Amino acid sequence: MTLAVARIDGPRVAIASDTLLTEHDKPLPIQNGVVKSCMVPGDICVSFCNSPETAGKALQEFVARYPRGAGFADVIAFFEKSSADTGNDYLIAFSSPARVAKIAEGKYTPSLSKTQWIGDRDAYEAFQFYAGRKKKRPQQGRAINAAMFMDELKDSPASDLYSAMRNVVLDRSVPSAGGFVTTISNRDNGFRYSVYSDMLFDWPAGEPEEYEFAYTDKISLQVSGENAKFSIAQISPGYMGLNLVAYYFSKARKLFFFHGDWIGLPLHCEVFENIPPAEIHYVLNRFIGQDLGWLLTILSPQAADAYLDQVQGIETPGSKLAFLCEANTFPPSAK
């Protein structure tokens, strides 16, 4: 199964989905998954659930028929027919103006909801519980995660969607979702993969498992054992609308690269072992055969110094954490 969730906030729209594939109700290895969202001409992002093969063919047909994109009515009609023919459900996000359409069982049903989803209902219920902090997170009592998104625009819902989805894919009681969390969001000129780095820090000493972390808590986060240097990052091409994405485990130095053809679903995964952070973009460029201006920031958690209640320039001190930037391809911010 699948879970894909899209959300609109003003002019911004983002989509988060899992990459899990199953065979005979058994999960396949993480590298055998697929990215379940595809950017197509017209500043449109299409997510699917059910069959990657038939969804991939439908997306290729759409691009061939509408190489410069299509209007809302034509897009809906095309994917309604595909849904009826294949049994796939689709979640279609439009960049400008921001809009999301859900097609299920061959039919588009208009909705005023800012959040829409396709896939497994149990997985979406878990997503809602995690989003509302009504369910114990998989790492609760052992670790606290801190996910940093590098260049999301104001009001982008990408980080909020990721924060709930990351727990769904880790939840062993939700077998219908798993793998990586793919996050895509719109900019003023279309869609692109988000760039994030998700780190694990130790559970605060002396706090019970029921403890709910808040950024205003006056604590200094530490790292040790399994959490030391652990992070996972999503890496995007620097160009809009390219259906290529990579994931990197900082502690294992392992790189997973999902790709297909230039305009189709990323149905294939290459795994690269023992890749230092500073070499990630070189490895990807060599594999592709050209420089795609990869956007990445690889962070690894570090133990913070003792907490200081008085910090010059900070009126309301909050939590303290430390991390090391092991690689970064973003240019310096303009002053």
Side-chain angles (χ1 to χ4, degrees):
M1 281 296 287
T2 293
L3 180 62
V5 184
R7 181 173 295 164
I8 295 172
D9 190 341
R12 300 297 157 215
V13 57
I15 310 96
S17 58
D18 75 312
T19 62
L20 177 71
L21 286 184
T22 59
E23 191 172 81
H24 308 303
D25 295 324
K26 299 291 185 182
L28 295 175
I30 196 168
Q31 65 268 23
N32 293 119
V34 299
V35 175
K36 299 171 183 176
S37 298
C38 183
M39 293 166 276
V40 297
D43 296 340
I44 299 166
C45 181
V46 181
S47 304
F48 74 93
C49 70
N50 193 17
S51 167
E53 292 77 15
T54 57
K57 290 178 182 178
L59 289 161
Q60 288 178 338
E61 291 172 8
F62 179 87
V63 173
R65 184 180 302 180
Y66 302 109
R68 296 186 178 181
F72 183 82
D74 287 334
V75 173
I76 295 302
F78 181 93
F79 286 102
E80 278 186 327
K81 184 177 186 307
S82 174
S83 176
D85 291 343
T86 65
N88 291 334
D89 291 344
Y90 294 104
L91 199 58
I92 307 170
F94 299 82
S95 180
S96 183
R99 190 172 185 178
V100 175
K102 176 178 177 177
I103 296 174
E105 298 179 349
K107 187 176 294 186
Y108 162 61
T109 302
S111 173
L112 295 177
S113 175
K114 297 296 185 182
T115 302
Q116 298 202 54
W117 65 280
I118 56 173
D120 181 63
R121 181 171 294 277
D122 289 342
Y124 184 62
E125 288 181 357
F127 176 93
Q128 291 179 298
F129 284 133
Y130 284 124
R133 294 197 170 191
K134 296 178 180 178
K135 185 170 182 171
K136 185 173 116 176
R137 292 174 290 282
Q139 74 274 11
Q140 194 136 353
R142 297 185 298 113
I144 289 177
N145 84 291
M148 300 193 67
F149 278 67
M150 303 307 150
D151 68 332
E152 292 299 315
L153 299 182
K154 185 178 182 295
D155 296 326
S156 170
S159 177
D160 287 343
L161 292 178
Y162 174 83
S163 294
M165 186 70 79
R166 73 173 301 280
N167 293 312
V168 176
V169 301
L170 292 172
D171 190 336
R172 294 183 180 179
S173 70
V174 185
S176 56
F180 296 104
V181 177
T182 301
T183 308
I184 296 173
S185 60
N186 73 330
R187 273 74 177 162
D188 293 338
N189 58 341
F191 284 98
R192 175 168 66 67
Y193 290 100
S194 301
V195 179
Y196 64 72
S197 192
D198 186 357
M199 301 171 284
L200 287 183
F201 292 86
D202 291 352
W203 194 255
E207 295 292 351
E209 194 172 293
E210 297 75 27
Y211 166 71
E212 286 290 341
F213 172 75
Y215 295 118
T216 53
D217 290 350
K218 297 181 178 182
I219 58 175
S220 182
L221 295 177
Q222 304 299 313
V223 291
S224 63
E226 63 180 353
N227 299 326
K229 297 184 178 180
F230 181 89
S231 70
I232 180 171
Q234 180 173 276
I235 299 163
S236 171
Y239 296 93
M240 304 300 293
L242 285 186
N243 293 299
L244 304 166
V245 65
Y247 299 90
Y248 183 72
F249 287 103
S250 63
K251 191 168 187 175
R253 297 295 195 252
K254 200 166 186 175
L255 179 66
F256 296 78
F257 177 45
F258 287 85
H259 61 96
D261 59 38
W262 289 100
I263 56 174
L265 275 174
L267 295 173
H268 311 289
C269 180
E270 301 292 329
V271 182
F272 302 92
E273 306 273 0
N274 300 315
I275 306 299
E279 294 183 12
I280 292 172
H281 62 294
Y282 296 118
V283 170
L284 295 174
N285 286 338
R286 280 199 302 266
F287 183 81
I288 290 294
Q290 59 183 291
D291 187 350
L292 294 182
W294 295 94
L295 299 175
L296 62 89
T297 300
I298 308 301
L299 307 176
S300 62
Q302 309 290 310
D305 295 335
Y307 189 84
L308 297 175
D309 200 34
Q310 300 295 324
V311 180
Q312 186 176 1
I314 299 178
E315 294 183 5
T316 308
S319 302
K320 183 177 183 179
L321 57 84
F323 53 82
L324 174 68
C325 182
E326 299 194 67
N328 176 59
T329 59
F330 283 91
S333 59
K335 293 184 180 180

